Amino acid sequence: MLLLVTGGCGFIGTNFIRLALGRDRETTVVNLDKVTYAGNPANLADAETRFGPGRYTFVHGDICDAALVRDVIGSRPFDAVVHFAAESHVDRSISDATPFVMTNVLGTQTLLDAARQAKTPRYVQVSTDEVYGSLGPEGAFSESTPLAPNSPYSASKAAADLLVRAAHETYGMDVVVTRCSNNYGPYQFPEKLIPLMIRRALRDEPLPVYGDGMQVRDWIHVEDHCRGILLALEKGRPGGVYNFGGGAERPNIAVVKSLLAALGKPESLIRHVQDRPGHDRRYAMNCTLASAELGYSPQWSFEQGLADTVRWYLEHEDWIASVESGAYRDFMRAWYGERL
Ligand code: NAD
Ligand code: DAU
């Protein structure tokens, strides 16, 4: 399979490309990425030697650049587009929604237009459980739960999902949408809860827990998410939507305490700070459809996955340092400055 992957220099895209190239010798990947503050081409610097010559190509570019996207999609007979590229951090979308609307909405439509013109056989949209909004103490999101996004980030992702749906209904494009819960694992940018807390705990800095810390997320190891996306790519129904979760609902405060225990650091580092505006209280996923139609089931337990992730960050402190650009430090100062 020849795949055009967007956003492959980010957390999930990097893990997906490594999994897709590593599982067989028949897959070839072109990675189109703008390299924003969250993108790191060095994540795949070893791809040529590890997976063999000609199997991985990096193209530096913006998915909103219609001429460039047309050139890239028209340059080779791709079997599918797998679209990860996005502005992905909820807190940043609260500070400034514009890049989210540009990349997540306009960028998605630009890719859809180019894929349709090039007659690319399949298009996979990597989406999120956040499009469904927030749950009460009971129940779980299914694919038929109405979309009710609460942050500018999740609203931009929901808009993109609807554009993908429209491309299927209007032009008959073969599309699949995947919606996944909170990922963790190697190469995650240290603005998201788990790598942020590891990074700060290692430096004995206070750990900012929003509000009471009783918000619940369903944690999934990134490798399980990437396996799910490969299944959706290969077996998903045209026009289908599939939920993926890790079956590991945990309150944030419990996750932070587990990290401190794994790192041998004291709970006195925890600081309850001003909550995130519009903070969703609970997410949980019903993955029955993905299990029945695709044969999906998560392989990692949360405890094993978290221990493995902590080990990865301890062994890659140089990676954390290398992704912390000036833009990272500016955002951290502005967002947490008033909270801590
Ligand atoms: P990330 O922020 O780590 O990476 C995003 C990548 O997209 C970066 O490499 C960045 O350079 C690239 N990018 C951003 N704007 C671009 C543009 N205009 N043109 C080309 N490239 C651009 O994000 P992630 O956590 O790896 O998330 C990947 C996808 O998965 C996103 O679509 C996100 O909404 C979705 N998702 C993430 C999670 C999660 O827990 N992280 C869960 C469900 C779904
Ligand atoms: O659910 C899927 C989504 O998960 C993805 O679509 C997003 O791209 C991804 O960023 C993630 O969104 P969250 O907002 O859930 O992830 P984040 O790691 O930012 O926060 C996880 C929880 O931890 C959330 O309830 C907010 C809380 N939190 C986060 C940070 C950064 C804190 O309490 N303190 C913090 O400093």
Side-chain angles (χ1 to χ4, degrees):
M1 259 200 308
L2 175 57
L3 301 179
L4 177 61
V5 172
T6 68
C9 298
F11 163 47
I12 306 175
T14 291
N15 281 283
F16 177 82
I17 292 172
R18 299 186 83 85
L19 184 72
L21 292 178
R23 73 178 178 152
D24 63 47
R25 298 203 55 79
E26 313 308 320
T27 304
T28 302
V29 169
V30 174
N31 170 20
L32 172 61
D33 196 299
K34 183 180 171 183
V35 189
T36 65
Y37 77 94
N40 187 10
N43 292 353
L44 290 156
D46 64 342
E48 187 85 358
T49 43
R50 192 181 173 101
F51 302 112
R55 297 190 59 213
Y56 172 73
T57 307
F58 172 55
V59 179
H60 187 186
D62 188 336
I63 55 163
C64 300
D65 180 342
L68 172 102
V69 172
R70 264 198 314 272
D71 281 356
V72 174
I73 291 196
S75 67
R76 295 168 73 171
F78 288 103
D79 295 302
V81 173
V82 187
H83 178 34
F84 294 90
E87 288 292 338
S88 68
H89 192 36
V90 173
D91 293 337
R92 281 178 183 262
S93 80
I94 294 166
S95 299
D96 180 8
T98 305
F100 289 75
V101 176
M102 294 304 291
T103 288
N104 300 0
V105 186
L106 180 65
T108 296
Q109 187 58 44
T110 306
L111 269 176
L112 285 167
D113 288 341
R116 179 163 55 91
Q117 281 159 19
K119 300 190 167 44
T120 307
R122 177 146 267 215
Y123 175 100
V124 178
Q125 176 75 8
V126 180
S127 187
T128 167
D129 59 356
E130 299 202 6
V131 297
Y132 297 123
S134 188
L135 289 165
E138 302 294 326
F141 299 128
S142 77
E143 290 79 357
S144 55
T145 301
L147 302 191
N150 291 319
S151 72
Y153 161 72
S154 52
S156 70
K157 292 294 289 184
D161 285 12
L162 295 178
L163 291 170
V164 174
R165 175 192 152 86
H168 176 68
E169 296 295 330
T170 305
Y171 305 111
M173 276 183 74
D174 179 336
V175 302
V176 179
V177 176
T178 64
R179 296 190 179 133
C180 190
S181 60
N182 284 65
N183 286 221
Y184 67 95
Y187 299 103
Q188 187 166 30
F189 194 75
E191 64 188 355
K192 307 286 164 49
L193 182 76
I194 288 179
L196 179 78
M197 297 297 160
I198 294 174
R199 175 191 172 280
R200 293 185 71 95
L202 286 175
R203 297 168 194 203
D204 298 310
E205 291 172 359
L207 308 188
V209 171
Y210 297 158
D212 62 4
M214 291 307 290
Q215 306 84 2
V216 172
R217 298 291 182 265
D218 171 14
W219 294 95
I220 179 173
H221 193 281
V222 64
E223 207 174 272
D224 282 328
H225 182 196
C226 292
R227 278 198 209 101
I229 294 169
L230 281 171
L231 287 168
L233 169 66
E234 287 163 357
K235 299 188 187 172
R237 248 180 312 111
V241 178
Y242 297 96
N243 281 355
F244 296 119
E249 285 181 51
R250 300 283 186 284
N252 293 335
I253 191 72
V255 173
V256 173
K257 285 182 179 174
S258 298
L259 287 170
L260 286 170
L263 292 164
K265 297 286 182 179
E267 290 187 5
S268 57
L269 285 177
I270 294 172
R271 295 278 187 288
H272 287 272
V273 300
Q274 187 196 332
D275 208 347
R276 170 189 279 175
H279 199 170
D280 289 335
R281 194 67 180 166
R282 178 171 162 261
Y283 303 146
M285 293 297 256
N286 176 336
C287 306
T288 313
L289 191 68
S291 157
E293 290 193 10
L294 310 176
Y296 166 78
S297 67
Q299 305 295 307
W300 285 88
S301 75
F302 184 62
E303 286 63 35
Q304 277 175 324
L306 202 66
D308 192 72
T309 302
V310 167
R311 196 172 322 116
W312 189 89
Y313 280 95
L314 288 174
E315 287 167 2
H316 293 82
E317 282 198 67
D318 54 333
W319 181 87
I320 303 185
S322 75
V323 298
E324 290 179 356
S325 66
Y328 174 80
R329 285 190 290 274
D330 290 348
F331 174 76
M332 288 291 146
R333 230 185 335 265
W335 182 260
Y336 291 104
E338 61 201 35
R339 286 180 166 72
L340 283 169

